[in-house]
Amino acid sequence: GAGVSQSPRYKVAKRGQDVALRCDPISGHVSLFWYQQALGQGPEFLTYFQNEAQLDKSGLPSDRFFAERPEGSVSTLKIQRTQQEDSAVYLCASSIIGAGLRGEQYFGPGTRLTVT
Amino acid sequence: RKEVEQDPGPFNVPEGATVAFNCTYSNSASQSFFWYRQDCRKEPKLLMSVYSSGNEDGRFTAQLNRASQYISLLIRDSKLSDSATYLCVVNYANDYKLSFGAGTTVTVRA
């Protein structure tokens, strides 16, 4: 079956540009997560949605980062006025509700963002 | 101090060897523990959960030591296809949030 998909796979932005990263979760997965993975590091939690409700945005590094999931399926992570330190791989993951305790999050291939 | 710490390696082992590595976690209230595998430039994938009693999945054995707050992974009879980064993952007593270590890189050579 189809897994989590993300687009674009690669994005190069000039410093100061706005970017929008898209995530299509697995059909029927209620929970959706965004992570940021810097080179040589593990994924760092950014935000969590349950259906369309954003229940936790404690990991968003600044108010330049904004995420939405208006209809409870596709999600967009938007970064305004990109900075060089935003360069990273942005991973989206989805799971059935309650799967966190079982660790069963399914990750997409990520969007590799490079800010020049 | 990071919540989850791992030896980054790399662990460079010949095919057929056994390799083992640990990770430590700082929050004693942690509830659930996992190992994820991440191939180069790919997404992380769940390898196995870690239970207090220890558990095996084929050539992989995971152990949890709550008293010392560490988790281990042992790979027996290493295959070339085991070359990857292994991420230690901890869940802190809620339903969704996972905390990842930076990963331990294993390279199996022919």
Side-chain angles (χ1 to χ4, degrees):
Chain A
V4 179
S5 61
Q6 292 186 245
S7 62
R9 292 293 312 279
Y10 303 90
K11 177 70 179 177
V12 178
K14 289 193 190 307
R15 191 163 59 92
Q17 277 185 330
D18 297 348
V19 298
L21 313 180
R22 177 187 167 107
C23 171
D24 281 84
I26 293 172
S27 178
H29 278 192
V30 167
S31 300
L32 184 144
F33 312 83
W34 284 98
Y35 291 86
Q36 180 190 60
Q37 187 171 24
L39 191 63
Q41 300 299 314
E44 294 280 346
F45 171 83
L46 293 177
T47 187
Y48 163 61
F49 289 87
Q50 190 177 109
N51 294 306
E52 69 279 3
Q54 189 175 22
L55 299 187
D56 187 339
K57 54 181 181 179
S58 62
L60 296 177
S62 77
D63 58 9
R64 296 185 295 103
F65 286 71
F66 171 75
E68 61 183 4
R69 193 186 185 197
E71 296 177 2
S73 55
V74 171
S75 177
T76 303
L77 176 67
K78 297 179 180 177
I79 309 173
Q80 297 178 320
R81 304 181 304 281
T82 52
Q83 303 293 317
Q84 283 195 314
E85 62 262 28
D86 299 336
S87 296
V89 175
Y90 290 86
L91 293 163
C92 175
S94 70
S95 73
I96 59 173
I97 195 161
L101 287 176
R102 299 197 299 274
E104 291 171 3
Q105 294 186 14
Y106 296 87
F107 284 80
T111 295
R112 185 174 298 273
L113 173 66
T114 303
V115 181
T116 61
Chain B
R1 184 185 170 194
K2 288 196 167 207
E3 293 176 349
V4 182
E5 303 244 25
Q6 294 185 248
D7 180 345
F11 288 79
N12 204 319
V13 300
E15 266 187 300
T18 295
V19 59
F21 43 89
N22 295 339
C23 99
T24 58
Y25 59 95
S26 59
N27 190 333
S28 59
S30 305
Q31 278 200 344
S32 308
F33 310 89
F34 315 94
W35 285 102
Y36 269 67
R37 171 194 169 127
Q38 186 170 28
D39 293 323
C40 188
R41 292 183 170 260
K42 299 283 191 181
E43 70 272 23
K45 292 183 180 178
L46 178 63
L47 178 67
M48 60 196 299
S49 301
V50 186
Y51 304 120
S52 295
S53 54
N55 50 297
E56 275 190 25
D57 183 359
R59 298 179 293 105
F60 296 81
T61 300
Q63 296 277 358
L64 166 63
N65 185 317
R66 283 191 185 270
S68 301
Q69 294 182 210
Y70 77 81
I71 306 148
S72 65
L73 182 66
L74 181 146
I75 308 173
R76 282 187 303 278
D77 188 24
S78 299
K79 312 290 185 195
L80 294 175
S81 56
D82 295 334
S83 297
T85 295
Y86 292 85
L87 299 165
C88 178
V89 185
V90 176
N91 174 278
Y92 292 103
N94 61 37
D95 197 37
Y96 58 86
K97 194 169 180 176
L98 301 180
S99 294
F100 287 78
T104 296
T105 298
V106 172
T107 302
V108 181
R109 62 183 189 274

